Amino acid sequence: MTRRIVRTTTQLGTLTLIIFVLVFFLDNRFNVLPDAIHNALPVHQPGLVITDISVATCSTLNILSSCRLDPEKWHRIEKDLYLSRGWLTHAFVHIERKQESELIEKDRVILDVRTGSLDPVVSEKNQAAERWESRPGGIWLKRTAKHRESDNVNAITAVDVLFGSDAVEPRPGWELGSQPLLLPNAGPENQETYLSIRRGHPKVKDTPTLHVNKDGKFKVIQVADLHLSTGPGICRDPEPALSDGGKCDADPRTLAFISSVLDSEKPDLVVLSGDQVNGETAPDAQSAVFKFARLFIDRKIPFATIFGNHDDEGSLSREALMQLTHDLPYSLSEYGPTNIDGVGNYYIEVLGRGGSSHSALTLYLLDTHGYSPDERQFRGYDWIKKNQIDWFKTTSSKLRKSPSHTGYTHHHMDMAFIHIPIPEYRLTNDIVASTGSQPESPTAPGFNSGFRDALVEEGVLAVSCGHDHVNDYCSLSKSADDKPQLWMCYAGGSGFGGYGGYGGYHRRVRVFEYDMNEARIITWKRLEHGDTEKQLDRTVIVESGKVVAA
C-alpha cells in the first residue's frame, strides 16, 4: 500500500512539473495566462519602465498654457523641442515612469514607439493586428497591461531626445526613431527632433585595457578641433570650396574624413584634444558628442577626450560633457581629481604586449580651460594651473616608482596632450620646418605657469596640442646647452565647422606611432584632400627612449 502511495505521489508530482513547465513555456511565448495572474507574478529584474509619453506645448502669448505637466505623475526631459529658438512656442517631452514593483493593475507598459502622421496599423503591414495609441507630436505608443512583459527585452525603460537630420544613437540598447516628431513651425531645416528609446535594462560598460600590439607597436591618432554642431552644420573656409557640387555640410564631411583615416590607419587609441563641440552652433551638445563617438564605438576603437574653449559654450557644462562621454562604450575619458582646477586631468596606461601588467607607455591629458580669468593683465586664453602641475608631477613620480613601471624591461615612454598651446610654442627659432608650417601666430596664454619645465623634469618626451587650426608644425625645445629636451607639436584642425583659410588649408589629423622595440616615436599627418594616403611630414622624434633632433 505504501509503495502504491509513493508511486502515485511521484507520478502526480512529475505530471504537475510537466504541466507547469509547459504552461510557463507557452505563456512566455504567447501570454496565455490572464492579466490578473501576470500582474501578480514577481518581477525578475526590478527597475524603471515607461508607462506613458506625452508632449506639452506652451506659448508666451497664452499665459494659461504650460510646458510642464503634473510633476507628481510626469517626468520632464529638459530639452526644449524647439531648441529655445522659438520666439513664441516651446515644447517638452514628458514621460511617466514607474518601478516595476510598483505597477498596479490599471498601469500599461510601453512596448514600442513610432512617430508619424499615420497610425502604424495603416502605415505598416505587420502592425494590422496591433493597437496603437496616439499622443501629441505624432507619437504612437503600443502599450500592454500584461506587466510581465515589462520583464521582456522589448519593454521601453528610458526615453531621450536628440536633434538634427544627422542625429545618431551610439549607446548599446538604444534605438533612434526613424521619423522626427511632428511639431508645428518646427524651425530651421536639418534641426529635426527625434525620440530615442532604450529597451531593457542599461548595459554595463566594459572599459578596455590597452596593450602594446604583438609587433611591439602602438598607434595613436590625435583628432583636434572637430567643431561639430547640432545638425549638419555649415562649412567654414572649406578647401576645395566647391566640393560635393557646391554644397558643403560641415559635420558629414568632417566625419567622412575621420572615418576614412580610421579605416586606413587602424589606430589603437584616438585622443580628441578639445573643441569636439562647436558650442555656439550646438544647442544640444549631446547630439554633437554622439556623432563623433559613434565612429569609434562602431569600430571598437578606444578613445579619450579633453576639452577646449568651445566645448562647454553649448548646452552642457564641462562636468556634464565628461559624464556623458565617460559613460560611452570604449571611452577612456575621466573626470580626474576634483580637488584641482579643470575637468579631464588624467592619464592612460598602455601595458606591455600580451598579458603584461607592466606599463610601457603613459599618456597624460590635461585641461587647459578656456579664456583668461585676468583679461586686463593676461589677455587671451587661460593657462594650466599650479595645482594641475603639482598633480602631474606627483602622479608622474608615483607611477615611475610603482611596480607597474619598474617591472617593465624596455624603455618606458611618456607623452602629454593638451588643447591650448603653452607659451613656448611661440618660440619661432624652435620650429622644425620639415615637420609642418605656422600660418598663424600661436594663441598661447599670456601667463607662463611653467608646464613646459615640469614636462621636461618628469621625462615626458613630447606634448601635442590643437586650438590653432592651421598650425601643424612641431617645435624642438632645447636646454641651455642646446640638447633636445621636448617635442611640442600641433595636430592641425580636422573639422569643417571651425575656421580654416590662410591660403587654402586642408583639414588634417596627426598620428603618433610608438615602437616599443626600439623606444622610438614617429609622427606624421593625414590630409582630408589632396594626397590623402601620404604620411605627410613623417618625422622620428624619439629614438632609444630619448628626444632626438629631426
Side-chain angles (χ1 to χ4, degrees):
M1 183 69 179
T2 303
R3 294 176 61 187
R4 183 181 300 173
I5 292 173
V6 172
R7 184 171 62 251
T8 303
T9 302
T10 303
Q11 291 172 341
L12 286 172
T14 303
L15 180 61
T16 301
L17 179 62
I18 293 172
I19 292 172
F20 177 81
V21 171
L22 181 61
V23 170
F24 179 83
F25 174 79
L26 291 173
D27 185 66
N28 191 51
R29 289 180 175 269
F30 306 110
N31 294 316
V32 297
L33 292 176
D35 289 350
I37 295 179
H38 283 150
N39 296 343
L41 288 174
V43 177
H44 303 296
Q45 297 176 336
L48 288 172
V49 292
I50 309 301
T51 57
D52 207 350
I53 303 174
S54 190
V55 174
T57 303
C58 56
S59 170
T60 54
L61 297 179
N62 182 359
I63 60 173
L64 298 179
S65 65
S66 174
C67 274
R68 188 176 294 277
L69 301 178
D70 180 4
E72 295 296 320
K73 176 182 179 182
W74 297 94
H75 168 76
R76 189 170 90 165
I77 298 175
E78 296 300 331
K79 290 187 177 185
D80 185 352
L81 303 184
Y82 290 89
L83 290 171
S84 301
R85 290 173 174 171
W87 287 94
L88 303 174
T89 306
H90 303 276
F92 292 84
V93 170
H94 289 68
I95 58 174
E96 183 183 24
R97 56 187 185 180
K98 288 190 173 183
Q99 289 285 343
E100 292 176 274
S101 58
E102 297 175 356
L103 291 171
I104 60 178
E105 188 171 350
K106 70 175 184 178
D107 290 327
R108 299 172 67 82
V109 175
I110 300 177
L111 294 181
D112 210 349
V113 180
R114 296 283 196 279
T115 52
S117 56
L118 296 177
D119 187 332
V121 170
V122 177
S123 60
E124 301 181 28
K125 293 181 180 179
N126 63 346
Q127 296 297 317
E130 303 292 345
R131 180 177 180 271
W132 292 82
E133 303 174 38
S134 177
R135 296 292 185 270
I139 297 173
W140 295 89
L141 306 179
K142 183 195 292 185
R143 302 199 299 169
T144 180
K146 298 177 180 179
H147 298 162
R148 191 168 176 275
E149 295 195 9
S150 69
D151 193 42
N152 190 289
V153 293
N154 291 321
I156 307 302
T157 55
V159 177
D160 206 348
V161 178
L162 298 174
F163 297 87
S165 59
D166 59 343
V168 296
E169 178 54 89
R171 295 173 292 185
W174 286 79
E175 176 186 332
L176 188 68
S178 60
Q179 298 293 327
L181 294 178
L182 302 179
L183 303 172
N185 305 313
E189 182 184 1
N190 295 323
Q191 291 294 346
E192 292 93 337
T193 306
Y194 292 86
L195 287 184
S196 186
I197 58 174
R198 186 186 70 206
R199 300 180 186 277
H201 297 277
K203 308 297 181 184
V204 177
K205 178 186 173 184
D206 184 15
T207 303
T209 300
L210 303 182
H211 284 271
V212 174
N213 295 310
K214 292 180 180 179
D215 62 0
K217 296 180 180 180
F218 190 86
K219 184 184 289 185
V220 172
I221 291 182
Q222 181 189 357
V223 177
D225 299 277
L226 282 168
H227 283 268
L228 300 176
S229 300
T230 303
I234 300 173
C235 287
R236 293 181 60 185
D237 310 313
E239 184 65 36
L242 299 180
S243 178
D244 192 23
K247 179 178 176 59
C248 183
D249 290 330
D251 293 2
R253 186 166 169 182
T254 298
L255 298 171
F257 165 47
I258 302 302
S259 295
S260 175
V261 174
L262 294 177
D263 293 339
S264 175
E265 291 286 353
K266 294 179 171 51
D268 302 296
L269 173 69
V270 174
V271 172
L272 298 112
S273 58
D275 284 357
Q276 288 78 248
V277 177
N278 193 57
E280 64 177 343
T281 61
D284 185 60
Q286 180 183 4
S287 295
V289 168
F290 281 2
K291 288 191 285 188
F292 75 72
R294 184 179 182 182
L295 301 183
F296 314 124
I297 294 170
D298 284 355
R299 293 170 173 80
K300 297 180 172 56
I301 299 173
F303 65 99
T305 60
I306 49 177
F307 299 127
N309 51 297
H310 290 296
D311 289 289
D312 57 354
E313 292 177 339
S315 62
L316 295 177
S317 66
R318 267 168 149 72
E319 291 80 3
L321 282 166
M322 183 55 76
Q323 186 64 59
L324 177 69
T325 309
H326 170 272
D327 291 344
L328 292 171
Y330 297 96
S331 173
L332 300 177
S333 303
E334 293 288 347
Y335 191 99
T338 57
N339 60 343
I340 64 174
D341 286 281
V343 175
N345 300 293
Y346 61 107
Y347 63 91
I348 295 171
E349 294 277 51
V350 181
L351 306 181
R353 72 183 79 184
S356 174
S357 60
H358 298 128
S359 173
L361 172 67
T362 303
L363 303 176
Y364 293 94
L365 298 93
L366 286 90
D367 186 1
T368 52
H369 316 291
Y371 303 97
S372 173
D374 186 358
E375 189 67 27
R376 178 176 296 181
Q377 187 173 2
F378 302 107
R379 297 185 62 186
Y381 293 94
D382 206 346
W383 51 86
I384 297 174
K385 302 300 192 294
K386 181 180 183 301
N387 58 18
Q388 292 175 272
I389 296 174
D390 290 343
W391 166 82
F392 160 70
K393 293 173 70 173
T394 300
T395 301
S396 174
S397 177
K398 287 182 178 179
L399 289 177
R400 194 163 52 248
K401 298 172 184 177
S402 69
S404 172
H405 283 230
T406 58
Y408 187 64
T409 56
H410 294 66
H411 283 289
H412 185 279
M413 298 195 287
D414 296 323
M415 186 173 170
F417 291 94
I418 55 179
H419 179 69
I420 297 172
I422 54 179
E424 285 78 7
Y425 275 79
R426 291 198 185 100
L427 301 176
T428 55
N429 290 337
D430 289 346
I431 296 175
V432 179
S434 63
T435 64
S437 60
Q438 187 204 44
E440 58 178 322
S441 298
T443 55
F447 177 75
N448 193 332
S449 59
F451 187 52
R452 178 267 179 199
D453 292 342
L455 291 170
V456 172
E457 289 172 16
E458 295 303 318
V460 172
L461 304 169
V463 59
S464 195
C465 72
H467 188 58
D468 299 322
H469 298 186
V470 300
N471 288 344
D472 71 342
Y473 64 87
C474 292
S475 290
L476 180 56
S477 185
K478 299 178 181 179
S479 64
D481 57 356
D482 207 37
K483 293 182 180 179
Q485 289 188 312
L486 177 73
W487 278 99
M488 303 183 300
C489 294
Y490 272 107
S494 63
F496 284 86
Y499 73 85
Y502 288 83
Y505 174 79
H506 295 295
R507 269 63 177 188
R508 60 199 65 199
V509 297
R510 182 171 285 281
V511 182
F512 291 94
E513 183 179 75
Y514 307 86
D515 185 342
M516 308 311 295
N517 301 308
E518 307 295 336
R520 176 187 299 139
I521 302 177
I522 306 173
T523 185
W524 63 87
K525 293 158 291 186
R526 293 289 300 272
L527 298 178
E528 189 266 346
H529 185 80
D531 195 350
T532 59
E533 297 300 317
K534 182 179 180 180
Q535 294 183 348
L536 183 66
D537 300 330
R538 180 183 171 96
T539 306
V540 176
I541 60 174
V542 172
E543 189 72 75
S544 299
K546 296 181 179 179
V547 176
V548 294

